[in-house]
Amino acid sequence: MHVLLVEDDPLVANGIVVGLKLHGLTIDHVDTASLADAALATSYFDVCILDLGLPDEDGMTLLRRWRDEGHSLPVLILTARDALNHRVEGLLGGADDYLIKPFNLDELQARLHVLTRRAAGRSTDCIHHGELKFCQSTGRVWLAGEPVALARRELSLLRALLQNSQAILSTGQLCDSVYGYEQNVESNAINVHIYHLRRKLGNNIVETVRGLGYRLGPAEKVEEQ
Amino acid sequence: MTLRLRLLLIIGVSLTALWALVATWMLVDTRLSLRDALDNRLAASARMVAGLVSQFPEPGDLVTAGNKPLDVVARDGVACEVSLLRSEVTIETVARTAGSPDLRHAATGYGTHVYGGQRWRTYVLRQGDIQIATADSIEVRETLVRELILSAGLPFVIALFGSLVVLWFGISHGLAPLERIRALLAARRSGDDSPLPEVKAPAELRPLLQTIEQLLERLQAAIVRERRFTDNAAHELRTPLTGVKTHIQVARLASQRQDEGATLEAALVNADEGVRQLQNILQRLLELARLDAESMEVESSDPVDAAQAAIEALEIVHGHVARQVRVLGVEASRPVRAARPLLVAALQNLIDNAIRYAPSTTPVIVRIEPRDDGMLGISVVDEGPGMNEKERSQAVTRFWRGNPKKPGYGLGLSIVNAIALRHGGVLELLERKGGGLEARLVLPLAEDIEALSFP
């Protein structure tokens, strides 16, 4: 899951980035509204954590503008403003969830999963895809009832594919989902992760669409060799 | 009492009283006029009869014709009696109207007499040995007055009551704009910050309406200020707390994973940084609370040389910033009555703000100048972005930050302001000519404080 964090306080932002990375999420952090605009324009995000007290623009104004521009990205407002009217205003202003600082990292993570799940139109945490079962919040994967151990990047890749099961995803989109803004990503890094996924979940789990990108395929039990 | 009842009572009672007074006056006047008119009629009748009697060649013959007086039937209320004066005591009635009382012994001129249980108004005219007496029954006269009062007074009373009823409706109608305004205010929900909608109101109510509007605006502004304050306070206090909490959770997560020792270490360092920030804010809040609690008593400390304090404050700030800060007017500096650590802290805050907000290439100047009013002004002048009028009015509010991007807690100017007030001084925020801010701390001079305290 690719998360955009818009937060101006460096200490809090750093905590969220490190914490969510430990939870296996891909997260990019910006500290101003203008940078958030730029990030949204250039990459694909699954969910956004938005602080309201930004130095250059109020978070609510930014959110309303996004909604007016037609961005349907799920947004969780994370703020110190706890008054009822702020919460109501936030939710009515286009936010999908509202969490008050100080918060619990586990709860934040769970809420982010709920938001992406709902955005994808599902009501349970676990995705079933043929023989494959993938539980988002815990990051556990089963194939035909057997647990499969996947690395963090592989989980991100699988999550991106499962969440867009009908769509063809380009290498760039997959890169966004797996690495975020991380620098120094080797050009064949995604291919390496796809190779590992195919090895663990069957050769057809990732279909290559020539010239366009990749698509989710059927999951099959891999025979031990 | 309702306004309507009050108005009705005031106008109604005064109207009734005034008209009652007028009515009484008219009544008395009418009675007098009527009496005069009827008296004149009596006298005229008497003179007419006297004229007739004088035509007789010998009035004494009238009596000889018969020993009984001649009764003349008269229709209206006037009684008339013609008598012959035989001597001073013997008066013989010659002729009279039927039903006339015995008027032989009535005094000459006008008089009022009671004859046979009835009161009469009499007029007696003597002409030679002939006495002509005319009389009106007072009862008949009273009846006449009563009829007059009734015919004129009844419409008057009806008109009075009618005008009271009209008054009631008139007042109701006149008060309608008030009712409209009341309904308008009653319909407002709490927290509604829209201006009052246009309402039809007469010119007299416009000022009231304007006052209400201004009051609502002031109230709204106060609420907004209060809300902003709590929002800012919540933000400033919760942010470092959030940092601490988040990093502790990160540390816990990291401790459960392998190969995350560095992450754990970093998280603990960050949590520590959050605690330090929180500690700083609490420290400043406590300082403010202490200043507030003792703000009533003027600090009676030793005279402090303002220039010395300024230089001391500079040394503290200069410890970690290499920046050109100049102190002007050292020679003009005089002792001020202020607690030394507080004065140094105030100046340190002002210099610190100037250094943080103004570009690093511009100079910061501390200017000391005595004033005519027994005060000393210590100005910290920078060439930074300055403040507009609105910002200057808000700047001493706790947790107000000129620029959220700059580090700080929004408490510095609040503290300086509290220190100034505590010493009977004031913090002035002025616009520097050519851009920038001049923050001027004005404190009473030490030698004048006795005169200030005991005038």
Side-chain angles (χ1 to χ4, degrees):
Chain A
M1 185 178 358
H2 193 195
V3 183
L4 175 65
L5 171 65
V6 190
E7 163 70 62
D8 68 324
D9 185 77
L11 195 66
V12 175
N14 177 276
I16 295 174
V17 168
V18 177
L20 289 185
K21 271 186 181 160
L22 285 174
H23 273 289
L25 305 185
T26 309
I27 181 160
D28 283 317
H29 165 231
V30 292
D31 57 2
T32 61
S34 47
L35 284 176
D37 269 335
L40 206 61
T42 50
S43 336
Y44 173 82
F45 293 95
D46 296 297
V47 67
C48 171
I49 303 171
L50 178 65
D51 177 31
L52 292 185
L54 297 174
D56 55 342
E57 189 179 4
D58 187 74
M60 274 319 299
T61 321
L62 176 73
L63 179 56
R64 281 204 201 87
R65 210 180 63 231
W66 280 357
R67 293 307 186 219
D68 288 345
E69 286 167 5
H71 290 294
S72 61
L73 173 74
V75 170
L76 180 143
I77 290 180
L78 184 64
T79 177
R81 296 182 199 167
D82 65 336
L84 180 66
N85 60 326
H86 286 312
R87 281 183 277 164
V88 171
E89 197 189 327
L91 291 172
L92 293 181
D96 299 273
D97 204 349
Y98 201 99
L99 199 57
I100 290 164
K101 289 178 189 170
F103 59 94
N104 188 296
L105 210 50
D106 292 338
E107 186 185 357
L108 175 67
Q109 187 251 157
R111 281 175 187 257
L112 292 178
H113 280 298
V114 169
L115 286 179
T116 49
R117 195 178 80 204
R118 283 290 172 194
R122 289 179 290 109
S123 56
T124 52
D125 179 48
C126 300
I127 305 174
H128 290 272
H129 177 69
E131 297 272 279
L132 183 75
K133 183 183 171 194
F134 174 54
C135 288
Q136 290 214 69
S137 55
T138 53
R140 291 202 194 162
V141 179
W142 290 267
L143 190 63
E146 296 283 322
V148 181
L150 291 183
R152 190 157 71 87
R153 306 287 194 202
E154 292 159 18
L155 275 176
S156 297
L157 186 62
L158 181 61
R159 187 182 278 134
L161 286 167
L162 284 169
Q163 261 162 7
N164 306 283
S165 56
Q166 305 301 318
I168 299 169
L169 299 172
S170 67
T171 314
Q173 278 171 304
L174 288 177
C175 250
D176 278 348
S177 291
V178 175
Y179 291 103
Y181 284 169
E182 238 170 76
Q183 301 295 313
N184 307 324
V185 178
E186 284 178 34
S187 57
N188 67 340
I190 285 292
N191 293 337
V192 172
H193 295 309
I194 289 174
Y195 166 77
H196 285 299
L197 265 190
R198 282 180 173 152
R199 194 169 55 79
K200 291 175 181 171
L201 300 173
N203 252 333
N204 296 330
I205 187 73
V206 184
E207 289 177 358
T208 307
V209 184
R210 199 164 293 279
L212 291 174
Y214 301 93
R215 186 167 55 190
L216 185 70
E220 290 155 0
K221 179 91 175 150
V222 186
E223 296 305 323
E224 294 292 335
Q225 290 163 2
Chain B
M1 194 190 288
T2 64
L3 190 55
R4 181 198 289 215
L5 198 62
R6 208 185 160 95
L7 275 173
L8 187 77
L9 275 181
I10 292 170
I11 301 177
V13 166
S14 48
L15 200 68
T16 312
L18 270 175
W19 278 111
L21 212 67
V22 169
T24 315
W25 182 17
M26 278 169 66
L27 184 65
V28 170
D29 202 44
T30 309
R31 274 178 94 113
L32 283 175
S33 306
L34 196 68
R35 202 187 73 178
D36 285 350
L38 291 174
D39 281 356
N40 286 340
R41 191 178 70 158
L42 274 185
S45 305
R47 274 194 290 278
M48 194 180 75
V49 173
L52 284 174
V53 169
S54 66
Q55 299 296 313
F56 290 116
E58 187 54 63
D61 296 349
L62 290 169
V63 187
T64 50
N67 275 334
K68 266 182 66 187
L70 180 69
D71 276 353
V72 184
V73 178
R75 276 183 191 280
D76 72 350
V78 182
C80 185
E81 202 176 290
V82 182
S83 311
L84 203 60
L85 297 168
R86 295 284 183 207
S87 69
E88 272 306 308
V89 286
T90 325
I91 301 168
E92 197 180 333
T93 304
V94 179
R96 65 181 182 192
T97 51
S100 163
D102 185 6
L103 297 169
R104 275 177 302 169
H105 300 290
T108 45
Y110 291 110
T112 306
H113 298 275
V114 178
Y115 297 113
Q118 275 197 349
R119 295 195 304 143
W120 294 83
R121 179 74 175 164
T122 60
Y123 180 77
V124 176
L125 181 70
R126 281 189 183 172
Q127 200 166 42
D129 52 356
I130 303 289
Q131 173 179 288
I132 294 120
T134 49
D136 264 341
S137 165
I138 286 183
E139 205 169 301
V140 173
R141 281 191 177 190
E142 290 297 330
T143 312
L144 204 62
V145 171
R146 270 201 298 277
E147 279 172 4
L148 202 68
I149 289 169
L150 209 63
S151 63
L154 194 65
F156 173 77
V157 171
I158 291 172
L160 187 65
F161 276 103
S163 60
L164 286 182
V165 172
V166 170
L167 194 64
W168 176 257
F169 286 108
I171 289 171
S172 305
H173 183 73
L175 291 180
L178 267 183
E179 176 58 24
R180 276 202 298 275
I181 294 170
R182 190 203 62 78
L184 193 74
L185 291 175
R188 269 178 95 81
R189 294 188 311 170
S190 67
D192 186 357
D193 52 0
S194 60
L196 276 184
E198 198 56 39
V199 63
K200 227 173 80 185
E204 290 88 342
L205 281 180
R206 289 259 157 227
L208 174 71
L209 212 54
Q210 277 164 11
T211 312
I212 292 175
E213 263 170 22
Q214 284 163 4
L215 183 71
L216 282 176
E217 274 166 24
R218 280 206 301 278
L219 207 62
Q220 196 56 42
I223 291 172
V224 167
R225 263 203 312 280
E226 196 63 25
R227 205 178 282 161
R228 198 181 298 130
F229 167 74
T230 46
D231 283 353
N232 289 344
H235 185 259
E236 294 302 333
L237 288 170
R238 284 209 174 111
T239 302
L241 191 63
T242 307
V244 174
K245 187 171 171 179
T246 311
H247 282 289
I248 288 175
Q249 292 177 70
V250 169
R252 206 194 56 224
L253 266 178
S255 71
Q256 293 163 355
R257 311 272 165 103
Q258 291 174 339
D259 307 328
E260 295 284 4
T263 313
L264 173 64
E265 193 60 36
L268 288 177
V269 168
N270 282 327
D272 212 37
E273 165 63 16
V275 171
R276 194 191 56 78
Q277 285 180 11
L278 207 54
Q279 210 175 347
N280 279 344
I281 291 183
L282 290 179
Q283 181 65 34
R284 278 180 169 72
L285 277 178
L286 281 176
E287 275 169 27
L288 263 176
R290 236 176 265 134
L291 285 169
D292 275 355
E294 296 163 31
S295 62
M296 292 317 286
E297 52 181 273
V298 173
E299 186 78 13
S300 56
S301 56
D302 293 330
V304 171
D305 194 356
Q308 258 182 334
I311 289 161
E312 194 176 317
L314 262 180
E315 279 165 1
I316 296 170
V317 177
H318 254 291
H320 45 92
V321 184
R323 183 68 178 273
Q324 195 195 4
V325 183
R326 280 191 299 155
V327 185
L328 301 182
V330 176
E331 63 289 345
S333 172
R334 285 152 74 190
V336 288
R337 202 41 90 99
R340 189 186 186 89
L342 291 183
L343 177 58
V344 172
L347 292 174
Q348 186 194 333
N349 266 309
L350 292 180
I351 295 170
D352 197 43
N353 269 353
I355 286 172
R356 248 183 304 139
Y357 277 85
S360 55
T361 50
T362 58
V364 172
I365 292 168
V366 182
R367 198 173 59 228
I368 300 168
E369 45 192 0
R371 294 162 29 131
D372 301 333
D373 53 359
M375 312 283 264
L376 183 76
I378 310 167
S379 303
V380 177
V381 190
D382 68 52
E383 295 179 19
M387 290 184 191
N388 61 33
E389 202 174 321
K390 193 178 161 212
E391 287 172 332
R392 283 201 294 271
S393 69
Q394 291 179 343
V396 296
T397 315
R398 281 162 205 205
F399 296 114
W400 184 87
R401 304 245 308 251
N403 182 353
K405 277 183 182 169
K406 304 271 180 190
Y409 310 107
L411 291 172
L413 287 180
S414 314
I415 290 175
V416 177
N417 191 47
I419 290 173
L421 292 179
R422 186 180 174 187
H423 293 98
V426 66
L427 170 67
E428 293 172 350
L429 297 172
L430 310 163
E431 203 179 337
R432 178 187 169 272
K433 276 181 199 133
L437 184 75
E438 174 174 352
R440 185 187 292 159
L441 182 65
V442 181
L443 291 171
L445 286 167
E447 60 261 35
D448 286 4
I449 198 140
E450 304 298 317
L452 281 176
S453 306
F454 310 102

